[in-house]
Amino acid sequence: MRAFGMYNYLHLDSWYQDSVYYVDQFGRVMNLAVTLDTALQKPREVFRLPTDLTAYDNRLCASIHFSSSSWVTLSDGTGRLYLIKSGKRGNSASEKWEIVFNEELGSPFIIAHSVSFLKCDTHTVAVLLLRVEKDELDTKGSGFHITLEWITIAEISKEGEHRYEIFKRRVLQGKSVPHYAAIEPSGDGLMIVSYKPFKFLQDEDDNSEENDVKVTNEKKDPLYYWQQTEDDLTITVHIPQDITKDDIKVRFSPDNICVTLKDQPPLMEGKLYSSVDHESCTWIIREDKSLEISLIKKNEGPQWPELIIGDTRGEFIMDSSQCSEISESLMHLTSEVMNPNPEKEKPPCNAQELEECDAFLEDSASLCRFDGDTLKITHVINLGSNQYLFSVVVDPREMPCFCLRHDVDALLWQPHCDQPENMWEHIATFNALGYVQASKQDKKFMACAPDYSYAALCECLRRVFIYRQPAPLSTVLYNRKEGRQVGQVAKQLVATLECNDPILGFQATSERLFVLTAKTLFLIKVNSGN
């Protein structure tokens, strides 16, 4: 339902503001552009899918993604992908949609994202396809899994002829529909926000080996044990009797560790959960022939949930003092008597104080970055209770931004794949939007203006809510409770559509909102001046 039932049928061309597209039931791609302030051109057919869509019973919705200012990826919902050279779309005279590649790619999908770029002077398009597939082996869960297929299509020259072919296909699998999934502009990586983790599926040969390894690993003892305090971590590794000090190499860096014995492949290697003071890290061989490694945390205090990101071969050991500290800190939450003293000023927990809109449907989501070459996760951030709200394209040359709830507010984050030290930049805040949207039980779509001047959401039927950023007041206003003068006020506007048809599409530009129903496209002017 989340993948296809809540699908946004209206597609905003971020390369050309105030130009929207939709695919109608006959497979025609229709364009609507704003000519005057609120005047729309008549719907203009720019392309027609060759497939007779009425002949398919189980097809998905057709989906479009604008990979660049002159390239488009298009799915007809039957399992066929089209790569289209559109020409410059902002001008109808130079806009001519021409198929340069189309291929049947298996079961039906929708396009989650696509990018166009030059790699080694070759024009390349990377596309992310989303499918919900039946999982025959899953007897306890939903019975379905989600696949994201990352396809790279490149232009090749054969015998003086230029054509596009699939260069690489990679598949990720997970158990929940991703909130956000986008390919980096360079095509080198992929970012996903999801409730349950995704992982790459290797080729079948690799899979069988991987499964054998898993089975044998389950019977083995942990490869290493680790403990931690607020300041440091201690790792203990059992080593064979014939290994001497000269056979051991331990390399420390601020974010990585590598342990090798003799000339064997690394025993332990990978990215640490957090940074360490690598110059102060040490290792010794103890009397019981075990290797003990001491890591000094760069940031004192926070507990690490794992030692090496993605490495499950170790076992964390908690000492008795840490156990007692945790149980003491949780003591006030539990009691053998049900709410022993409800009259006191601060009872242990009063569920009535939690409003219905504060309860999240899901525990927490994670933000992961996957490397396109190694297919490994390079960054993981647990979003905790920072609920995902929506995504928006602020600059079409960059990755889409995603908006998260932080307490009562909503914060907009811009990914920068080329800046490892500032990979996610906070670029805007919508005050109180996190709280307000949570109280709207019938909400369907959310969006914001690319210039952050307002955020908006719509319900399934009729109503659209617009939340403007705080603006200076022309008159003097006082807060009645505190008696202080109020300098700025954020206005909320409500628009009610003159029809009862379900809202199927919703897009925001800096000055106007587009709202699509089965029969009508509504244009709402959001004048930023007042």
Side-chain angles (χ1 to χ4, degrees):
M1 283 181 69
R2 178 180 288 168
F4 311 129
M6 297 288 277
Y7 186 72
N8 194 338
Y9 286 87
L10 193 61
H11 305 276
L12 180 69
D13 187 349
S14 302
W15 301 88
Y16 302 98
Q17 278 280 343
D18 292 323
S19 181
V20 291
Y21 293 78
Y22 65 88
V23 184
D24 71 8
Q25 62 198 17
F26 306 110
R28 297 179 301 177
V29 179
M30 309 298 286
N31 167 240
L32 291 114
V34 176
T35 48
L36 298 167
D37 213 15
T38 54
L40 274 173
Q41 290 177 344
K42 283 184 179 174
R44 183 171 63 97
E45 181 183 328
V46 293
F47 181 76
R48 189 177 296 213
L49 284 162
T51 324
D52 177 13
L53 298 183
T54 54
Y56 290 86
D57 294 332
N58 62 342
R59 74 177 184 90
L60 299 175
C61 38
S63 53
I64 308 175
H65 196 274
F66 301 100
S67 316
S68 76
S69 58
S70 56
W71 288 88
V72 180
T73 47
L74 180 59
S75 156
D76 60 8
T78 69
R80 185 170 284 275
L81 176 70
Y82 295 86
L83 175 60
I84 291 167
K85 192 173 185 178
S86 65
K88 296 286 183 188
R89 294 185 297 273
N91 180 351
S92 56
S94 60
E95 182 171 358
K96 185 172 182 287
W97 289 38
E98 174 195 351
I99 300 172
V100 297
F101 167 91
N102 83 95
E103 198 165 310
E104 189 72 39
L105 296 174
S107 57
F109 55 82
I110 59 170
I111 298 172
H113 190 241
S114 68
V115 288
S116 164
F117 53 92
L118 283 173
K119 193 134 198 169
C120 307
D121 295 329
T122 301
H123 179 238
T124 307
V125 176
V127 196
L128 202 59
L129 315 178
L130 186 145
R131 295 181 176 96
V132 177
E133 296 179 327
K134 194 141 187 61
D135 192 341
E136 303 299 337
L137 300 172
D138 183 8
T139 52
K140 293 179 183 173
S142 66
F144 292 90
H145 62 242
I146 312 300
T147 63
L148 285 171
E149 186 170 7
W150 181 0
I151 291 182
T152 309
I153 303 166
E155 183 182 23
I156 58 163
S157 298
K158 272 189 183 170
E159 298 160 6
E161 195 185 336
H162 291 278
R163 66 165 188 240
Y164 284 81
E165 285 188 3
I166 290 179
F167 173 66
K168 203 182 275 185
R169 292 179 75 164
R170 291 156 288 192
V171 176
L172 295 105
Q173 196 170 295
K175 292 295 284 182
S176 69
V177 174
H179 297 300
Y180 171 99
I183 303 166
E184 294 172 356
S186 61
D188 292 333
L190 176 69
M191 291 190 196
I192 296 176
V193 175
S194 63
Y195 169 47
K196 290 186 177 167
F198 274 79
K199 64 178 180 186
F200 275 99
L201 297 181
Q202 305 296 335
D203 294 334
E204 284 181 21
D205 297 342
D206 296 350
N207 253 350
S208 57
E209 284 175 28
E210 206 177 86
N211 290 339
D212 293 344
V213 171
K214 277 182 187 167
V215 171
T216 50
N217 271 358
E218 278 171 17
K219 296 172 185 171
K220 284 185 181 175
D221 289 333
L223 178 68
Y224 59 88
Y225 296 89
W226 63 288
Q227 293 176 284
Q228 65 178 315
T229 67
E230 289 190 353
D231 312 307
D232 57 32
L233 304 106
T234 305
I235 309 163
T236 306
V237 187
H238 290 293
I239 52 175
Q241 291 292 324
D242 58 336
I243 295 288
T244 64
K245 191 173 182 180
D246 296 333
D247 299 328
I248 300 170
K249 281 186 183 166
V250 183
R251 286 202 307 275
F252 302 110
S253 73
D255 299 305
N256 286 270
I257 187 171
C258 180
V259 180
T260 48
L261 306 179
K262 283 192 175 173
D263 299 325
Q264 299 170 10
L267 186 69
M268 288 171 64
E269 184 180 29
K271 185 175 172 62
L272 295 166
Y273 175 78
S274 189
S275 298
V276 294
D277 180 0
H278 64 291
E279 291 177 354
S280 305
C281 298
T282 57
W283 62 272
I284 58 166
I285 295 181
R286 300 196 67 82
E287 292 168 9
D288 62 351
K289 287 296 287 182
S290 65
L291 169 66
E292 187 175 287
I293 302 167
S294 296
L295 304 178
I296 310 302
K297 291 182 181 178
K298 196 119 188 191
N299 304 315
E300 295 175 12
Q303 293 284 302
W304 291 17
E306 58 182 336
L307 180 71
I308 296 171
I309 292 174
D311 190 343
T312 56
R313 298 172 302 161
E315 186 176 310
F316 175 59
I317 299 171
M318 196 181 288
D319 65 31
S320 55
S321 64
Q322 286 174 317
C323 291
S324 59
E325 267 177 41
I326 289 172
S327 58
E328 263 178 50
S329 67
L330 300 176
M331 190 72 80
H332 70 287
L333 298 177
T334 58
S335 170
E336 289 179 16
V337 185
M338 193 73 173
N339 204 357
N341 184 4
E343 299 303 317
K344 71 176 184 179
E345 278 183 27
K346 290 183 181 175
C349 178
N350 181 1
Q352 288 174 332
E353 286 178 11
L354 288 175
E355 296 192 25
E356 203 173 318
C357 64
D358 285 320
F360 296 132
L361 289 172
E362 299 170 343
D363 300 328
S364 68
S366 295
L367 165 61
C368 295
R369 182 196 176 268
F370 292 85
D371 183 89
D373 291 327
T374 64
L375 308 187
K376 289 203 168 96
I377 295 173
T378 59
H379 298 73
V380 182
I381 293 174
N382 185 346
L383 299 180
S385 59
N386 299 128
Q387 175 195 13
Y388 169 87
L389 299 179
F390 62 90
S391 56
V392 62
V393 176
V394 167
D395 178 351
R397 289 174 295 275
E398 295 260 14
M399 294 179 78
C401 301
F402 51 84
C403 189
L404 303 176
R405 178 179 175 175
H406 289 251
D407 197 13
V408 298
D409 298 329
L411 271 58
L412 198 61
W413 299 88
Q414 173 70 67
H416 296 294
C417 58
D418 54 345
Q419 300 174 25
E421 68 291 336
N422 185 30
M423 196 162 274
W424 296 285
E425 181 192 3
H426 167 226
I427 55 170
T429 300
F430 296 101
N431 296 314
L433 180 65
Y435 184 74
V436 170
Q437 62 81 31
S439 64
K440 302 280 186 288
Q441 293 193 335
D442 294 329
K443 69 173 179 288
K444 187 167 186 183
F445 298 120
M446 287 188 76
C448 75
D451 63 359
Y452 333 127
S453 56
Y454 70 91
L457 64 88
C458 71
E459 295 185 338
C460 297
L461 293 169
R462 295 187 62 131
R463 290 203 298 176
V464 175
F465 298 86
I466 300 162
Y467 304 99
R468 291 227 183 102
Q469 288 284 34
L473 284 167
S474 52
T475 55
V476 177
L477 191 69
Y478 286 92
N479 181 306
R480 281 189 298 182
K481 281 187 181 175
E482 299 171 17
R484 62 182 172 81
Q485 187 173 332
V486 177
Q488 292 187 319
V489 161
K491 291 180 183 175
Q492 172 186 315
L493 308 172
V494 183
T496 305
L497 307 182
E498 296 168 5
C499 78
N500 271 324
D501 297 321
I503 294 175
L504 300 177
F506 190 70
Q507 295 288 357
T509 66
S510 294
E511 292 188 355
R512 43 189 75 82
L513 268 171
F514 295 88
V515 187
L516 179 74
T517 69
K519 296 175 191 159
T520 318
L521 178 72
F522 291 91
L523 185 63
I524 301 171
K525 180 81 196 280
V526 185
N527 193 335
S528 49
N530 17 340

